[in-house]
Amino acid sequence: MRKYFRGGMAAVAGVLVATSVVLTPTASAAAQADPDTQALAGALAKQKITWEECAFPGVAEETVKQFKTVKGLACATVQVPRDWHDPADGNTIGIRVSKTQTAFKGTSRQGIALVNPGGPGGSGLPWGPAMALRAPVLASQYDFIGFDPRGVGLSTPLTCSYTVPDSTDANVLNKAKVDGCLENPLTRFITTEQTAYDMDFIRVLLGEKKTSYIGYSYGTWLGTWYASTFPSKVHRMLLDSAVDASQSTLENTWDLQPRTRDRQFQEALLPFMARHDDKYGQGTDPMEIRRKWEKGGGTREFVGQLFVAWFVLPAMYDTSQYHAAASAVASVIDATNPVGTDSEKVEQVVAKMLTYPGLTDDNKAFIAKGKQNALNAIAKKERVAAKSTTAAAEVETWDATFEAIRCQDGQWNQNLHYWNYWLADLTVNAPFIAPFMETPLCAYWPTTNSMPKPDKKTFPRLLVAQSELDAATAYEGGLATAKALPNAKMISVDNEGSHGLFPYNTDCVDDPITFYFQTGATPRKQFTGCQAVPLPGEDTTFDVGGKLTNGKVKIKMITPAVKQANKIVKDLLSGSATAQADESGMPANL
């Protein structure tokens, strides 16, 4: 169902300048024409593009071989102004672009379609050939274009350095990281706003009057920004697994993320395990499985955190890996006292995972990758511990693209008391994922940037696709986007959790998207409801979460099942649930 890879759509284990420049007014852009990137770029619009064989760092060799079968695949680095607000200052940034030439010649060709997989900071370069392979019908009419956004991959990167403060206070450390990053002259230009201009300039360099676009996850935010700034240049646009673009910042999207991860764990993964007690031996009641998980320490213990980070959360992004995720949960429950070093404990639990029946070769490859990621995380942790603590006055360097984009796209709440409350609330209402969370760097990052508001008269017709239990971009955020954007139509997939839907391989989901890209026609109704495909090893789609009503899924963030699970955690931690809990040595309160 879900082909190739989903790298870069969102960070699985993570949670998502000085003054940023403002390229476009925050009010409606209706009073002026789209910015003319060809004129703004000056001599850069006449640059000679040297197309060459593509390299895709980090992509599996077998996948790269498939990419190279795509007709006309070639890559090039193009130069764009570093600052589209002041393009004549002479500073440029390199953007790595991939192109395909799969569209038939003649009147059936619809032009180009850019693709972004999300992040922020995901490499989009492989997604030109990937989409050509994933959507061959559309590839006969569109030449798919991939690109690494500024700050990402083979484009000009953004790294930041800071001097480590002589303090153990997390707020002092975070402020030092942000202040150090703001000293980098490149930082304030690594924004969605600037990337939207880069996208339009790619269109200009390729000689196209308009561009189509498919964006996943954060890529839906980028697509919305582009459509709001360059509405007349949009041909077709799909926002798949959408962030909440009804808001002026990305803060609400990240506020919803931990809660929707708790929701998918309780509403979908644990019921899946309960239906397969013959495989996992944890009982037929999802609540009892949750109780066992929490009695063993859950994500409050290092082993539980490690296996959730590298086995459970990635499977929430792609539910075809639910058997691997279920085996991870069952193994952690059963391995209550693994012995040895952290690495040896991982080896023991993974060995147990591989004993469960029904694992496919794809599941086993997924587990092998997760194991290596877990071991790498342990090695990194041990290297840091070996240094005791990083010495004060030592200079640390880090890849800052993810933080620079999400923090500079609109002002986040800067009140640290608010974030203390936010973290405390998560320990009660999202206890499964709360141990992973911390105050975001955006709480220390000033910006004046803001997405321009879409104009009802000019904003293009587009489609939004969203799954009910998406663990990265909550259904509530996608629904808010569909309601807020003029002329948007939404396709909801009930009982589905995967992040990134198209192509989904059901007529209900794929047909209206394909028809729209072919003709421009959107569904008659604003909301279309579709049913999920069965989970792996099942021939029935089970109803979980909310209810599909009038094309929309009606669901609460804290569902009755999640509320009951949260009470289990609270009771166990307070020592009031069972005698065994009293003997567990867990903290007495939240």
Side-chain angles (χ1 to χ4, degrees), residues 196-461:
Y197 276 66
D198 295 341
M199 286 171 54
D200 195 65
F201 191 52
I202 291 171
R203 174 193 63 78
V204 169
L205 292 176
L206 295 178
E208 301 287 343
K209 292 183 179 180
K210 292 191 175 187
T211 184
S212 294
Y213 177 80
I214 296 176
Y216 298 95
S217 193
Y218 155 79
T220 64
W221 178 261
L222 173 59
T224 303
W225 204 304
Y226 181 86
S228 298
T229 309
F230 301 95
S232 72
K233 302 301 188 296
V234 176
H235 182 56
R236 312 277 190 260
M237 182 170 287
L238 171 66
L239 307 181
D240 190 321
S241 305
V243 304
D244 186 354
S246 72
Q247 302 296 307
S248 59
T249 79
L250 283 166
E251 182 177 334
N252 191 51
T253 293
W254 262 271
D255 183 43
L256 292 170
Q257 189 177 84
R259 305 168 197 280
T260 192
R261 289 177 173 181
D262 270 52
R263 183 167 65 185
Q264 187 184 141
F265 182 69
Q266 188 62 49
E267 287 283 1
L269 180 59
L270 296 189
F272 174 81
M273 289 183 66
R275 293 195 298 270
H276 295 276
D277 179 51
D278 58 323
K279 287 184 172 67
Y280 305 111
Q282 301 301 322
T284 59
D285 183 351
M287 285 301 164
E288 285 306 309
I289 299 176
R290 180 66 179 266
R291 190 181 300 276
K292 291 179 183 179
W293 168 262
E294 298 298 344
K295 278 187 64 177
T299 50
R300 299 180 303 283
E301 297 292 335
F302 179 67
V303 171
Q305 289 182 11
L306 205 64
F307 277 77
V308 167
W310 299 113
F311 298 95
V312 177
L313 287 182
M316 287 185 179
Y317 282 60
D318 178 3
T319 56
S320 69
Q321 297 295 346
Y322 256 30
H323 277 306
S327 70
V329 172
S331 296
V332 172
I333 290 173
D334 289 339
T336 52
N337 293 298
V339 296
T341 66
D342 288 337
S343 295
E344 289 170 341
K345 291 176 182 177
V346 167
E347 295 283 359
Q348 293 169 44
V349 178
V350 169
K352 174 64 176 174
M353 288 176 64
L354 293 171
T355 65
Y356 293 105
L359 293 172
T360 65
D361 289 343
D362 190 42
N363 293 149
K364 292 175 182 178
F366 176 88
I367 291 172
K369 182 178 179 180
K371 173 184 171 181
Q372 189 58 56
N373 286 334
L375 293 175
N376 290 344
I378 290 170
K380 182 178 179 180
K381 176 174 174 280
E382 290 172 346
R383 287 195 299 270
V384 172
K387 296 171 64 177
S388 182
T389 58
T390 304
E394 182 174 334
V395 175
E396 291 270 315
T397 300
W398 56 293
D399 182 350
T401 299
F402 171 78
E403 299 290 3
I405 294 174
R406 72 170 184 156
C407 296
Q408 296 184 137
D409 276 1
Q411 186 63 70
W412 288 43
N413 193 314
Q414 303 270 284
N415 186 332
L416 295 182
H417 294 296
Y418 166 84
W419 291 107
N420 289 336
Y421 170 81
W422 182 77
L423 291 170
D425 179 69
L426 289 182
T427 64
V428 176
N429 292 313
F432 170 71
I433 212 68
F436 293 95
M437 309 304 291
E438 57 189 14
T439 302
L441 287 186
C442 300
Y444 313 85
W445 205 307
T447 182
T448 58
N449 236 355
S450 183
M451 184 191 293
K453 295 181 180 179
D455 180 69
K456 293 181 180 180
K457 295 180 180 179
T458 61
F459 197 78
R461 288 184 295 177

Side-chain angles (χ1 to χ4, degrees), residues 59-79:
V59 179
E61 182 178 347
E62 184 59 37
T63 302
V64 173
K65 288 181 181 178
Q66 294 181 59
F67 287 169
K68 291 185 176 180
T69 66
V70 175
K71 182 181 178 182
L73 176 63
C75 288
T77 297
V78 301
Q79 297 300 312

Side-chain angles (χ1 to χ4, degrees), residues 39-63:
L40 288 171
L44 288 177
K46 298 180 180 180
Q47 65 185 280
K48 181 180 179 181
I49 302 177
T50 303
W51 295 101
E52 56 198 10
E53 185 176 359
C54 293
F56 301 105
V59 179
E61 182 178 347
E62 184 59 37
T63 302

